[in-house]
Amino acid sequence: MSKEYEMVIGLEVHVELATKTKIFCGCSTAFGGAPNTHTCPVCTGMPGSLPVLNKQVVEYAMAVGLATNCTINQNCKFDRKNYFYPDNPQNYQISQLYYPICINGGVEIDTPEGGRKTIGIHEIHMEEDAGKLVHDEWGESSLVDFNRSGVPLIEIVSEPDMRSAEEVIAYLEKLRLIIQYLGASDCKLNEGSMRADVNLSVREKGAKEYGTRTETKNLNSFKAIQRAIENERERQIALIESGEKVIQETRRWDDNKEYSYPMRSKEDAQDYRYFPEPDLVPIVISDEWMAEVKARQPEFREEKMKRYAEEYKIPAYDIDIITASKKLADIFEETVSICGNPKKVSNWLMVETMYLLKEKGMDADDITFSPKNLAKLIQMVDSKAINGNVAKEVFAKIFDEDIEPEAYVRENGLASVNDEGELRKVVEKIIEANPKSVEDIKAGKVKAMGFLVGQTMKEMKGKADPGSVNAILREIFGINE
């Protein structure tokens, strides 16, 4: 009988914080830019340069800690973690080992089985990011870009509480939403502003002892994380069943080949020769400072979902999709505040916006149109200034260029023709040109009227209101129902 195994998974999640400047200097944290242009003597590790702590980093770390039910360590400090690597200009990293800013937290996730489960957070600590190595694919050289060096990070270290890839993704999605709602980071995995290292071991089901764990790095999407977890699970089980031992090591995941390979044997804390950072004073967080940060906490997703159901009365499915993105929720609320029609705003976001996002391969966070212009478009449809088909055309321009809809409709001659006399003349012309449809309608085939509506719309170049055309036809043919 084959043995049953279970995974034991813990995560180290690195999040780049949304400060304008780096953690210990005034250099820009903007993503991109020519290599080595967002640098200074501090973040390139020049001898004699001294770090100065960015207060906003502490506030963001505190905010994330409070939102994840952590205890805030009101007396914390930085430590020096020594290691030698080409993208690490000082040959050490300023981090927190002994007294991290946040400890003993946890977040609740929905499990695949439909229950709820708390994933413990061991600690959250602040640290600086390293630079980036760019390897020459055609030669044997590597170049280093220090733009990322000194970008502020928090590292969120979970307890080994996850037992499946699905639980891991649920935990990461929950963390990402909390941090995005706080505005502490954009959490874009593809840009490296959220990165997860997976610590994974397997053991026989029912066993109390943990197996030997490995750490898998280089995971830049939820799909890659899921694939890497399944791959590592199978690899470790195969080793155990063939009588070999799992080696504690760090592995690098290649998502194109769907394969991991060893990078180095796993270091212990003593290998880094940690000691208190001599160039920075300890951080003292007063009760007043912590209360200020707590008072600025936003309405999070769960609270928002409940309020949307009560206040806006839109379907649960719409609520789920809209609140899954802070950007989408903000657009929804601001648009509703202008035009006052929650269901119609929801429809435009759920149908046309989602269609265009999918077609262009974009995320909701990439939306650039303003709520003001979407609200105006909805009002124009409501007032019959334009019809539904024209509205879709105009919205595509709003989505791409955030154009002002009233001006665009005027300049392109897209306004609906609401002159009943003019509309009636066109309808009568269409009736005269289509005797077969007229016969069908008179014989009781009311559906044939749809053809006449379509022909009228065509004649009017899409600028008629289909409802008005329908009403005129029903009046002419004496159809009341």
Side-chain angles (χ1 to χ4, degrees), residues 204-217:
E204 279 188 54
K205 215 159 193 177
K208 290 188 178 172
E209 292 291 315
Y210 291 145
T212 303
R213 67 183 168 89
T214 60
E215 181 181 27
T216 305
K217 288 184 175 285

Side-chain angles (χ1 to χ4, degrees), residues 241-295:
E241 294 200 327
S242 65
E244 295 180 58
K245 284 188 174 179
V246 176
I247 298 167
Q248 184 172 332
E249 62 189 356
T250 301
R251 299 182 68 83
R252 188 176 182 85
W253 175 251
D254 186 323
D255 200 43
N256 293 322
K257 296 176 184 173
E258 296 197 14
Y259 167 81
S260 70
Y261 53 90
M263 288 170 66
R264 56 182 180 266
S265 61
K266 184 65 183 165
E267 301 92 340
D268 289 317
Q270 62 262 30
D271 294 329
Y272 290 122
R273 295 182 295 111
Y274 278 98
F275 61 84
E277 171 53 52
D279 292 335
L280 289 162
V281 296
I283 301 160
V284 179
I285 298 169
S286 66
D287 291 343
E288 293 77 17
W289 190 15
M290 191 157 64
E292 275 175 38
V293 172
K294 196 165 191 174

Side-chain angles (χ1 to χ4, degrees), residues 297-310 323:
Q297 299 287 81
E299 176 186 50
F300 289 104
R301 189 190 184 193
E302 282 83 359
E303 304 159 88
K304 213 175 264 294
M305 289 175 83
K306 191 178 174 189
R307 180 170 65 83
Y308 279 19
E310 293 168 1
T323 59

